[in-house]
Amino acid sequence: MVTSDPLVLTNVVTCTAIVLRLMMFRKPGGKHNWWASWLAYLIILAYASVPFRFLFDYYLHVHWASVTINLIICAAVFRARGNVAQLFHVLRPE
């Protein structure tokens, strides 16, 4: 049974957009940051669970606050063009 709840669908699309943008990040000639790569990998794993759970009918309910937070994170990821190091500038080692 596929849900037609607009909040669930919005969250699935938002999480999918975050995953795809992070996966498509390219920085030609840029310096490799191992911590940013691992952080991006963990974020992708976490956010990819939402569309996969939806596809296998295990994602039926979501709270509006989660959708709002995910929309804000999605906007930040697209603003940073998928660059986790730029997104989490505060975590950069000095």
Side-chain angles (χ1 to χ4, degrees), residues 11-92:
N11 203 41
V12 169
V13 169
T14 303
C15 291
T16 303
I18 292 170
V19 168
L20 290 175
R21 184 59 189 123
L22 289 175
M23 287 176 61
M24 299 301 166
F25 173 69
R26 302 284 290 171
K27 189 174 183 182
K31 180 182 154 201
H32 177 75
N33 292 323
W34 64 269
W35 66 268
S37 299
W38 278 104
L39 185 58
Y41 178 70
L42 293 174
I43 293 170
I44 289 168
L45 285 179
Y47 275 104
S49 71
V50 173
F52 278 114
R53 285 185 294 156
F54 179 75
L55 288 174
F56 292 108
D57 245 1
Y58 287 111
Y59 194 73
L60 303 173
H61 304 288
V62 66
H63 195 269
W64 64 267
S66 297
V67 177
T68 304
I69 290 168
N70 288 339
L71 284 168
I72 292 168
I73 292 173
C74 184
V77 165
F78 274 86
R79 173 95 168 120
R81 292 185 228 131
N83 189 345
V84 173
Q86 184 179 357
L87 188 65
F88 291 97
H89 182 69
V90 193
L91 300 176
R92 258 189 229 186

